[in-house]
Amino acid sequence: MAKASQGELARRRDLGGRRPQSRGRRSSWSTLAHLPKHLQTAIISYRRQADQSGDLDPAIRQFLDRIVEKETPESVMAKLVAFDRGQVELKAGTILSREWNGITQRAIIVDDGFLWDGTRYDSLSAIAFAITGTRWNGPRFFGLRDNTVGREDGP
């Protein structure tokens, strides 16, 4: 099964934009014919982008190759989310913005913390507390985590 999975993974990587010279364009489309049109378009677009700008980062490719055989889809998604969160790097000068009670709040990332309303804070959570008066996960409050930013009924 391991060889079949790796073969399937290799076949999936080559779907879309890469067509064998001898077969022509029709053949690459027929490889995708069983998929819905929106997925065909996404695969072709990805392959074109990868051909122009380079494929997956080697660390991500290695990560995916390592887990493809031994993980359930749910655990793979959880690991991908954790991996993605680990890649977020906030650089000095970045401005985070959030509307709260009709007022746009902006925090600026500096080398040794965050600035909000002229005061330096050690964490985004401290800023979120200063803005709302309730405890929030600061990255979540500023939209860096989850898609719950639109909710203003509580932390």
Side-chain angles (χ1 to χ4, degrees), residues 26-84:
R26 193 123 173 93
S27 155
S28 67
W29 280 102
S30 65
T31 322
L32 303 174
H34 67 287
L35 297 172
K37 185 76 169 171
H38 73 280
L39 288 179
Q40 291 177 10
T41 304
I43 290 169
I44 298 295
S45 297
Y46 169 79
R47 186 47 42 215
R48 284 183 182 156
Q49 179 182 348
D51 288 345
Q52 288 177 353
S53 305
D55 211 343
L56 290 174
D57 180 83
I60 294 172
R61 183 177 294 277
Q62 180 182 26
F63 174 78
L64 293 172
D65 288 343
R66 200 172 49 234
I67 64 172
V68 73
E69 295 175 3
K70 47 187 163 176
E71 301 287 338
T72 65
E74 294 80 19
S75 66
V76 169
M77 286 306 298
K79 287 183 179 184
L80 286 172
V81 167
F83 182 82
D84 186 46

Side-chain angles (χ1 to χ4, degrees), residues 113-133:
F114 306 90
L115 289 177
W116 174 76
D117 200 26
T119 305
R120 194 191 75 72
Y121 291 84
D122 290 327
S123 71
L124 290 173
S125 297
I127 295 173
F129 181 77
I131 292 170
T132 66

Side-chain angles (χ1 to χ4, degrees), residues 85-91 94 109:
R85 285 185 179 169
Q87 300 299 312
V88 173
E89 186 177 315
L90 299 175
K91 296 181 180 180
T94 301
I109 299 169

Side-chain angles (χ1 to χ4, degrees), residues 12-34:
R12 287 181 185 173
R13 283 187 189 140
D14 289 337
L15 287 177
R18 298 179 193 226
R19 54 181 178 259
Q21 297 296 331
S22 61
R23 291 186 177 160
R25 183 178 181 105
R26 193 123 173 93
S27 155
S28 67
W29 280 102
S30 65
T31 322
L32 303 174
H34 67 287

